[in-house]
Amino acid sequence: MRDCYCTVNLDQEEVFRTKIVEKSLCPFYGEDFYCEIPRSFRHLSFYIFDRDVFRRDSIIGKVAIQKEDLQKYHNRDTWFQLQHVDADSEVQGKVHLELRLSEVITDTGVICHKLATRVLECQGLPIVNGQCDPYATVTLAGPYRSEAKKTKVKKKTNNPQFDEVFYFEVTRPCSYNKKSHFDIEDADEVDKMEIRVDLWNASNLKFGDEFLGELRLPLKFLRQSSSNEAWYFLQPRDNGNKSLKPDDLGSLRLNVVYTEDHVFSSDYYSPLRDLLLKSADVEPVSASAAHVLGEVCREKQEAAIPLVRLFLHYGKIVPFISAIANAEVKRTQDPNTIFRGNSLTSKCIDETMKLAGMHYLQVTLKPIIDEICQLHKPCEIDPVKLKDGENLENNRENLRQYVDRIFTVITKSGVSCPTVMCDIFFSLRESAAKRFQGDPDVRYTAVSSFIFLRFFAPAILSPNLFQLTPHHPDPQTSRTLTLISKTIQTLGSLSKSKSASFKESYMATFYDYFNEQKYADAVKNFLDLISSSGRRDHKSIEQPILLKEGFMIKRAQGRKRFGMKNFKKRWFRLTNHEFTYQKSKGDHPLCSIPIENILAVEKLEEESFKMKNMFQVIQPERVLYIQANNCVEAKDWIDILTKVSQCNKKRLTVYHPSAYLNGHWLCCKASADNTPGCTPCTGGLPANIQLDIDGDRETERIYSLFNLYMPKLEKMQEACGSKSVYDGPEQEEYSTFIIDDPKETYKTLKQIIEGVVTLEQEHAQYKRDKFKKTKYGSQEHPIGDKSFQSYIRQQSEISAHSI
């Protein structure tokens, strides 16, 4: 048996790792990771490790998916065979070379060939065991000879600048009489020769240097043009075609969802965006662009995600949700089924609660969920599933205490509920009460069906999906959380015959504990508070909210120039009040920076300390330099720190992208440490909930959905036409659309289709222009870039068709 965990990597940089599943050969992880990818990459890789307590963990195997193949597996459960991992196959980075083959005529009139190879620089080499001290060897190899030369070692950098030239004599004149270590070769031999560039990491260990990648170029291609300068992707070592026996290392099941949006500048999106944003004011709302998107998408969720983000960003989410909710309530016949379906309204509210309510969940549920995960108290109350030695009464009591505590923290948390959620609940309550005037409870059930059934209950059930726990809970904890979630859901639903709503008799018996009026009253008071419009200002809540925490490495403030003490590992915590660090989790803070003292948060150039993934937090009196564990972590910290400090009055407009070392700024060489910055700060984002939302990007997403479902838009247009002309029995294919006003809907559809077609043309034009300008072998598209080669093929096919 093995204790295995899995890591997710961009090329060879680890960005996530799962928990360890002990003593299993078929571990199930069930973990979700989501990230914005902050840099270019060639492979998305997954490594399976076997934990070893005494030595370094051993690698079992890997799955590496090329970037251009990700689309093939998009959102499909797939089993991948594990591949062997060896240093020769693990390669990343690119190299910039210049080659010149020249003919020299000697005094005797004989032609001989000389080759000059200039190794300019490399980019993106891997960091091996925390360091990268690269050098390159350049070898001229032919059938009868091999001659190698080597560059200087560049310390502590994975983007080394070599700029060294090596000369080789390729052929020599026959009269050459000095004893040479190779035979005389004629010009035809040149075609059989190749130049090889190998990159190595100079290791101080006795095992020898580590191979980082190679490049092989036949000299034949220099015959056509005598000089050549280009960027090349490094390739794995060609191990003499000796094929490794494909052992069955097992396989890994993955579901990868990969989206790539190419976003234009804002003005391109104005027509479509304006059409979407006025959706709340269109009468009837079913004729609005946003509602139409919900009608044509296969899953309502697809439409809800970008719509909610777009409306939140422009501060129009409440009127939009009120409008679609009101329309749905009008169509509802029975007050007991209110908001129970998977409609556009319920998906949009779910999505809004997820975005706006994250911190609210953290403050309310996290402490007690952490305790449940750590203490492992037995809470099984199904007599059939009891383990040996467990007592049913004790288990019931454990579960009752947990339910009681969670119920209390939820019903007392009304003041912390985000304003945007309260405003939505207020409008739901109003339209439900107006529609079903005879039902006194409908004003509560309309709200509880969201806050309990679709917000708190799922967060208790799967805390990892709501960022309350880093990993999927173990089976016992998972069962406890399921039982708590069921009970809380029923308590919040205010249904008349509670016990009858349980299929299991043991749940009905357990529920009798809570069949008291005080629980129903507490739920009603809570629902009243979160759905009243004149509630207290949420800024008066003084409870600091924890936004992010974790270990990072910071540069010591003592400014010691020598010694390892310069960089220290610290536990960082960010709340909406302050940014602190301490020696380890739970210690007293060593340093606390109030949020209002953060003047800017920016990346730090790698050259400053020869370290990757560094950023700087700029304060009035000094700068704090911090290194995150990987590029995804660094982006997360920069984003969230930028957001919380966005509204500070003294925010800087310029900063220094490099550090102040040895008496001057490395970037602009100014000597005074208080010299104003030399580079404009990156554009800020609007504060509060509009946080990490890019309006143009969401509009691009919506455009691509409309584009994908264009046939349905055209069907809907036909349906509007047939409805307004022909009032007989409807055609079956049209009955799936909600069309209240054919004329208005037709008008909207026409505008959507025009907007989508215009954007489609812009994208096509942009691709054509890019194709004309792009040079294969440039820094952006090094030779060996498969995605670019397939792109060239596509484009040449397209241009052939258009000809």
Side-chain angles (χ1 to χ4, degrees):
M1 289 299 179
R2 288 175 152 175
D3 303 342
C4 295
Y5 61 92
C6 177
T7 67
V8 183
N9 299 50
L10 291 177
D11 295 324
Q12 283 157 269
E13 181 182 12
E14 181 185 319
V15 291
F16 294 118
R17 73 168 51 187
T18 64
K19 60 172 186 271
I20 296 169
V21 174
E22 294 184 340
K23 299 190 176 53
S24 168
L25 289 177
C26 301
F28 174 77
Y29 297 103
E31 299 198 30
D32 292 292
F33 297 113
Y34 168 82
C35 77
E36 291 278 315
I37 298 182
R39 62 177 179 80
S40 57
F41 66 102
R42 283 166 74 188
H43 290 92
L44 179 67
S45 310
F46 302 83
Y47 290 82
I48 301 282
F49 287 89
D50 186 4
R51 181 185 55 178
D52 192 320
V53 184
F54 303 108
R55 294 198 307 276
R56 273 180 59 195
D57 297 350
S58 53
I59 293 188
I60 296 173
K62 70 165 181 182
V63 168
I65 309 173
Q66 285 192 337
K67 182 184 176 183
E68 45 276 17
D69 291 342
L70 283 169
Q71 218 42 53
K72 275 191 224 164
Y73 305 109
H74 175 72
N75 208 359
R76 295 210 328 249
D77 258 9
T78 313
W79 283 98
F80 293 91
Q81 267 317 112
L82 288 179
Q83 306 295 324
H84 276 283
V85 176
D86 59 13
D88 292 352
S89 69
E90 293 284 284
V91 165
Q92 69 179 64
K94 50 192 175 186
V95 57
H96 189 188
L97 285 188
E98 193 179 339
L99 301 169
R100 181 166 288 128
L101 185 64
S102 45
E103 293 184 344
V104 181
I105 301 178
T106 59
D107 302 342
T108 55
V110 181
I111 296 174
C112 62
H113 293 85
K114 280 201 159 84
L115 173 72
T117 305
R118 185 171 174 206
V119 183
L120 288 143
E121 59 179 316
C122 291
Q123 272 192 345
L125 297 176
I127 291 175
V128 187
N129 302 335
Q131 58 117 26
C132 190
D133 298 340
Y135 68 89
T137 59
V138 182
T139 311
L140 178 69
Y144 311 112
R145 62 184 266 205
S146 174
E147 186 182 349
K149 299 180 178 186
K150 130 181 198 191
T151 66
K152 295 188 181 72
V153 174
K154 297 288 176 186
K155 290 278 187 195
K156 285 194 178 164
T157 174
N158 62 342
N159 297 325
Q161 304 270 343
F162 295 112
D163 204 1
E164 292 189 40
V165 186
F166 302 103
Y167 294 99
F168 296 95
E169 289 188 332
V170 182
T171 56
R172 297 183 173 184
C174 302
S175 59
Y176 198 80
N177 51 16
K178 281 190 190 155
K179 256 186 120 167
S180 68
H181 60 278
F182 57 85
D183 297 331
I184 293 160
E185 288 161 299
D186 62 31
D188 291 343
E189 291 295 316
V190 176
D191 290 354
K192 294 181 184 159
M193 300 178 82
E194 65 172 10
I195 190 90
R196 199 173 82 226
V197 179
D198 293 85
L199 274 131
W200 299 86
N201 181 23
S203 165
N204 42 18
L205 305 167
K206 50 183 177 290
F207 307 126
D209 299 345
E210 283 120 345
F211 172 76
L212 300 180
E214 71 170 17
L215 176 65
R216 291 167 169 242
L217 297 170
L219 287 196
K220 196 160 51 180
F221 88 103
L222 282 173
R223 277 297 187 79
Q224 284 83 39
S225 62
S226 57
S227 76
N228 180 41
E229 181 205 338
W231 283 86
Y232 297 87
F233 270 132
L234 289 170
Q235 301 299 336
R237 185 183 279 159
D238 180 15
N239 53 12
N241 299 336
K242 64 170 195 285
S243 57
L244 281 165
K245 175 166 104 269
D247 300 349
D248 189 9
L249 299 173
S251 42
L252 176 65
R253 178 175 159 212
L254 299 168
N255 186 346
V256 180
V257 177
Y258 176 72
T259 51
E260 189 174 282
D261 292 318
H262 297 266
V263 186
F264 287 132
S265 55
S266 238
D267 41 339
Y268 284 93
Y269 297 109
S270 297
L272 186 60
R273 187 175 49 227
D274 297 344
L275 187 63
L276 288 158
L277 288 175
K278 64 171 205 235
S279 292
D281 308 323
V282 174
E283 281 292 327
V285 75
S286 63
S288 68
H291 196 280
V292 167
L293 182 67
E295 287 297 290
V296 294
C297 281
R298 204 177 66 225
E299 303 279 336
K300 300 279 189 234
Q301 181 84 358
E302 276 182 305
I305 295 173
L307 283 175
V308 163
R309 296 173 74 93
L310 183 73
F311 283 108
L312 265 174
H313 183 65
Y314 288 101
K316 296 198 170 181
I317 190 72
V318 179
F320 169 63
I321 286 185
S322 303
I324 56 172
N326 206 4
E328 187 178 321
V329 171
K330 280 181 185 155
R331 285 195 293 272
T332 306
Q333 299 306 316
D334 177 0
N336 293 319
T337 61
I338 199 162
F339 299 127
R340 288 297 166 93
N342 276 333
S343 60
L344 183 64
T345 312
S346 51
K347 288 293 179 201
C348 283
I349 297 175
D350 284 357
E351 207 46 45
T352 309
M353 293 193 300
K354 245 188 199 163
L355 284 169
M358 251 337 160
H359 301 329
Y360 176 36
L361 279 179
Q362 299 274 335
V363 179
T364 315
L365 294 181
K366 193 169 167 44
I368 185 160
I369 298 269
D370 284 347
E371 186 186 316
I372 293 170
C373 292
Q374 279 154 12
L375 293 181
H376 282 295
K377 281 188 185 172
C379 295
E380 182 53 76
I381 55 168
D382 180 353
V384 182
K385 292 186 180 169
L386 270 192
K387 288 186 186 148
D388 293 345
E390 281 185 3
N391 177 321
L392 189 61
E393 277 313 305
N394 289 353
N395 288 10
R396 250 191 216 142
E397 184 50 29
N398 288 343
L399 186 61
R400 194 188 67 74
Q401 284 179 1
Y402 278 148
V403 170
D404 231 345
R405 282 175 57 196
I406 286 189
F407 178 79
T408 309
V409 294
I410 290 175
T411 49
K412 290 228 159 51
S413 69
V415 217
S416 325
C417 185
T419 320
V420 67
M421 282 166 66
C422 296
D423 293 345
I424 289 171
F425 296 149
F426 174 68
S427 76
L428 295 182
R429 167 189 173 143
E430 292 299 289
S431 58
K434 198 164 146 196
R435 169 86 172 84
F436 301 104
Q437 288 172 359
D439 188 333
D441 278 346
V442 75
R443 46 192 279 198
Y444 294 118
T445 49
V447 177
S448 72
S449 63
F450 285 104
I451 192 83
F452 281 103
L453 266 67
R454 306 175 89 112
F455 186 64
F456 283 121
I460 296 166
L461 187 66
S462 311
N464 54 312
L465 296 184
F466 291 82
Q467 294 165 23
L468 294 172
T469 57
H471 299 302
H472 196 67
D474 60 81
Q476 186 188 325
T477 310
S478 202
R479 174 70 180 153
T480 302
L481 294 172
T482 305
L483 294 169
I484 296 171
S485 175
K486 277 184 167 183
T487 318
I488 291 291
Q489 199 170 321
T490 312
L491 272 169
S493 70
L494 292 168
S495 53
K496 308 286 186 292
S497 56
K498 294 289 175 70
S499 305
S501 65
F502 289 109
K503 295 189 208 64
E504 311 93 339
S505 56
Y506 62 86
M507 281 303 293
T509 322
F510 173 68
Y511 195 81
D512 289 341
Y513 288 125
F514 302 99
N515 233 340
E516 294 177 38
Q517 192 53 38
K518 66 171 188 183
Y519 289 105
D521 292 345
V523 170
K524 285 184 174 174
N525 289 340
F526 168 65
L527 294 173
D528 276 334
L529 179 59
I530 62 170
S531 60
S532 59
S533 63
R535 51 196 289 290
R536 287 183 296 180
D537 176 29
H538 63 283
K539 290 203 174 59
S540 60
I541 314 153
E542 273 311 294
Q543 178 68 36
I545 298 168
L546 176 67
L547 302 175
K548 191 169 172 61
E549 59 180 350
F551 274 114
M552 290 192 287
I553 291 168
K554 68 159 205 66
R555 182 170 188 239
Q557 301 294 323
R559 295 279 184 275
K560 285 195 184 121
R561 278 196 50 197
F562 302 106
M564 292 301 287
K565 291 240 177 308
N566 214 357
F567 286 92
K568 298 189 172 112
K569 192 172 179 179
R570 293 287 179 254
W571 181 262
F572 284 83
R573 284 186 93 229
L574 173 66
T575 69
N576 53 347
H577 293 187
E578 59 180 2
F579 181 47
T580 58
Y581 61 79
Q582 48 233 53
K583 237 188 176 135
S584 49
K585 192 175 179 175
D587 288 1
H588 189 71
L590 298 170
C591 166
S592 163
I593 304 169
I595 294 297
E596 55 273 18
N597 278 5
I598 297 178
L599 306 183
V601 184
E602 296 287 349
K603 284 183 179 164
L604 183 69
E605 282 179 358
E606 216 169 287
E607 290 308 303
S608 302
F609 300 106
K610 307 273 196 227
M611 289 164 75
K612 278 176 86 72
N613 303 323
M614 287 201 72
F615 62 94
Q616 45 183 329
V617 178
I618 304 166
Q619 313 160 61
E621 61 286 347
R622 59 162 190 238
V623 184
L624 177 63
Y625 296 124
I626 303 172
Q627 183 189 31
N629 300 321
N630 57 56
C631 59
V632 169
E633 268 295 84
K635 183 183 188 302
D636 279 355
W637 275 105
I638 294 171
D639 283 355
I640 197 158
L641 281 159
T642 305
K643 283 167 213 163
V644 292
S645 60
Q646 197 65 60
C647 297
N648 291 349
K649 294 193 173 57
K650 296 181 181 160
R651 269 191 76 85
L652 296 177
T653 51
V654 287
Y655 78 107
H656 290 285
S658 286
Y660 182 76
L661 288 175
N662 307 337
H664 67 269
W665 291 101
L666 297 181
C667 39
C668 57
K669 306 290 181 268
S671 54
D673 66 350
N674 56 0
T675 311
C678 55
T679 307
C681 286
T682 45
L685 300 152
N688 190 5
I689 178 68
Q690 294 140 357
L691 297 187
D692 49 353
I693 297 172
D694 173 340
D696 300 331
R697 180 169 159 181
E698 300 309 327
T699 316
E700 168 65 32
R701 267 269 30 74
I702 292 171
Y703 144 75
S704 49
L705 284 170
F706 274 138
N707 198 22
L708 178 66
Y709 293 112
M710 186 55 92
K712 275 195 164 178
L713 285 172
E714 288 162 353
K715 265 269 178 303
M716 206 168 169
Q717 240 183 345
E718 277 175 36
C720 290
S722 78
K723 263 200 142 160
S724 48
V725 176
Y726 167 64
D727 279 338
E730 265 188 56
Q731 280 196 7
E732 189 54 43
E733 54 184 332
Y734 299 151
S735 61
T736 50
F737 302 124
I738 294 175
I739 301 173
D740 298 323
D741 182 334
K743 209 166 164 190
E744 277 302 310
T745 313
Y746 188 87
K747 235 163 50 186
T748 306
L749 283 161
K750 194 164 171 278
Q751 288 172 291
I752 293 172
I753 291 170
E754 278 167 12
V756 170
V757 169
T758 311
L759 274 169
E760 177 68 358
Q761 288 163 351
E762 294 293 354
H763 275 284
Q765 186 57 47
Y766 175 80
K767 276 185 181 165
R768 283 195 293 274
D769 294 349
K770 189 175 176 216
F771 177 63
K772 280 179 202 152
K773 283 187 206 131
T774 308
K775 181 170 168 267
Y776 192 38
S778 64
Q779 195 170 349
E780 296 76 48
H781 298 288
I783 293 172
D785 180 349
K786 295 210 177 56
S787 61
F788 186 65
Q789 283 170 317
S790 62
Y791 173 68
I792 287 181
R793 264 203 310 280
Q794 279 171 6
Q795 292 305 314
S796 51
E797 282 163 19
I798 292 169
S799 53
H801 290 318
S802 61
I803 289 164

